[in-house]
Amino acid sequence: MTGTIPATLVPGDGIGPEIIDATLAALEALRAPFAWDWQVAGLAGVKAAGDPLPRATLDSIHRTRLALKGPLETPSGGGYRSSNVRLREEFRLYANLRPARTLIPGGRFDNIDLVVVRENLEGLYIGHEIYIPIDDDPHAVAMATGVNTRQGCRNLLEFAFEHAIATGRRKVTIVHKANIMKALTGIFLETGTEMWERRYRGRIDLDTAIIDACAMKLVLNPWQFDVLVTTNLFGDILSDLVAGLVGGLGMTPGANIGTNAAIFEAVHGSAPDIAGKGVANPIALLLAAAMMLDHCKLPDLSGRLRQAIDATLNVDKVRTGDLGGTASTAAFTKALVSRIAGG
Ligand code: NAI
């Protein structure tokens, strides 16, 4: 079975190679049938090929249409444009699916099972920005342009409703700021409510929430929500918020889905503060690999992987430092692999 599904592998920057190693060990123990094509991007791309998104990496994903990716570093302020944003644009990865589930019971919030569906190509997040110089200040005025299109909203909202129904969810909440940004986020709210009226009423419940109130409600009573669908920047922020409800960024995976490819990754970044120390929590990327197995219609393997993660955390009590444990990445991986082999 090994090696029958071609897939691109990008280890990424910072803790990327460490958590990719852990994930490959788990996938190997599962005998997941991926034939990996190793490529570079981000800072590793600049070092190896003088480009944060080398042509060979793009060509590989065009060929495989499937990738597992570690986090890619993006310099703040100046420097090159985010390789993540460029990848989403290149492959039209319009939907960013970010589930957050409680894996360790007894925390501040128990039994969390939320999904954030984030628009991935439009909005204020696209980084169309300029400075206007005045006198001797080159940065006297900063401007950003946000763009949301009817078709872009339709693509994402249809994905969200279909995904919610296919996975047995009860409710979709459209999160917006249409009271203030009446055009930019009004178009999203309008498209979503019209689509629900025409095609989804009676099949799934619909709710709407303004982003700021939604953030507060998520902290006070997250169980009132189920699937949250929102524009790019709000989705970026909300998905970190819901990661916080389930134990932090080490626990939440993400899938970038489009017509031309699907790229799976952790929600978190390259964590430069802990890179190279061997203490990173690989669970977010492991769960991204489970989503990739689901995407490839291998639910037996994804189920075994999720069960093994659960047993390692809750039966063996092997946990990394961010979860209050003392295990290194390697120790966690070893325990996980023996759970997979044993189960
Ligand atoms: P970050 O997510 O890398 O780190 C935030 C905090 O969470 C840090 O204290 C870090 O140590 C901790 N953390 C993150 N992942 C962890 C894990 N698996 N185990 C244990 N602790 C973990 O966010 P930050 O520092 O804002 O960004 C660092 C770099 O990553 C930036 O260059 C940013 O642009 C990039 N980034 C890349 C993403 C991607 O490739 N999808 C997503 C987010 C950020």
Side-chain angles (χ1 to χ4, degrees):
M1 198 175 173
T2 302
T4 53
I5 303 177
T8 305
L9 188 75
V10 180
D13 301 318
I15 59 170
E18 300 164 53
I19 57 176
I20 281 276
D21 278 354
T23 305
L24 287 181
L27 289 172
E28 208 164 290
L30 284 166
R31 297 185 195 283
F34 296 115
W36 299 111
D37 180 20
W38 289 67
Q39 296 292 340
V40 290
L43 213 53
V46 174
K47 282 182 191 148
D51 186 345
L53 198 52
R55 189 71 247 168
T57 304
L58 294 174
D59 287 346
S60 172
I61 302 173
H62 274 291
R63 206 167 47 245
T64 62
R65 298 162 63 103
L66 185 65
L68 182 66
K69 183 182 93 42
L72 305 178
E73 213 154 305
T74 310
S76 287
Y80 56 83
R81 193 157 170 258
S82 162
S83 308
N84 292 313
V85 173
R86 285 177 60 203
L87 277 171
R88 291 168 196 162
E89 288 172 356
E90 174 84 15
F91 297 99
R92 309 301 303 154
L93 306 172
Y94 58 83
N96 190 345
L97 191 57
R98 294 181 158 186
R101 291 186 59 196
T102 302
L103 293 186
I104 301 176
R108 202 179 305 166
F109 298 92
D110 233 335
N111 295 316
I112 298 292
D113 183 4
L114 292 166
V115 178
V116 175
V117 187
R118 165 190 175 188
E119 202 289 323
N120 223 9
L121 297 174
E122 302 194 331
L124 264 176
Y125 197 88
I126 51 179
H128 287 179
E129 300 190 303
I130 54 162
Y131 284 115
I132 300 173
I134 298 177
D135 298 331
D136 59 352
D137 183 354
H139 291 179
V141 179
M143 286 177 67
T145 307
V147 178
N148 281 325
T149 65
R150 178 75 79 193
Q151 193 54 51
C153 295
R154 275 196 196 118
N155 291 343
L156 191 266
L157 286 153
E158 180 181 42
F159 176 91
F161 284 124
E162 292 292 337
H163 179 82
I165 291 168
T167 52
R169 295 279 169 171
R170 61 189 157 84
K171 181 171 80 168
V172 171
T173 303
I174 299 175
V175 184
H176 64 91
K177 187 73 183 174
N179 53 329
I180 304 297
M181 297 155 92
K182 292 178 194 292
L184 189 68
T185 90
I187 190 176
F188 189 78
L189 175 63
E190 178 187 281
T191 306
T193 45
E194 280 176 15
M195 183 179 281
W196 180 78
E197 286 289 349
R198 260 188 307 108
R199 294 173 51 192
Y200 297 106
R201 184 189 260 280
R203 296 169 67 197
I204 191 148
D205 290 348
L206 179 74
D207 195 6
T208 65
I210 295 175
I211 177 69
D212 39 347
C214 180
M216 177 200 62
K217 287 177 183 172
L218 272 167
V219 175
L220 286 180
N221 174 12
W223 302 276
Q224 68 189 286
F225 295 105
D226 190 15
V227 175
L228 299 145
V229 59
T230 191
T231 46
N232 205 340
L233 179 61
F234 297 160
D236 182 50
I237 298 165
L238 278 193
S239 51
D240 272 33
L241 193 161
V242 301
L245 302 178
V246 297
L249 282 171
M251 308 298 268
T252 43
N256 300 279
I257 312 268
T259 28
N260 301 328
I263 300 182
F264 297 84
E265 62 182 350
V267 168
H268 63 72
S270 58
D273 51 337
I274 56 166
K277 295 185 178 159
V279 298
N281 179 355
I283 291 176
L285 193 68
L286 286 160
L287 292 173
M291 293 177 85
M292 185 169 168
L293 290 165
D294 284 336
H295 179 80
C296 295
K297 312 241 178 309
L298 295 165
D300 291 354
L301 295 186
S302 62
R304 281 180 58 204
L305 179 52
R306 290 190 180 102
Q307 272 166 18
I309 293 170
D310 181 35
T312 307
L313 287 173
N314 296 313
V315 181
D316 305 334
K317 310 264 185 218
V318 179
R319 299 174 187 173
T320 46
D322 57 312
L323 302 177
T326 54
S328 64
T329 314
F332 178 86
T333 309
K334 192 160 174 248
L336 177 69
V337 165
S338 48
R339 269 285 162 191
I340 293 171

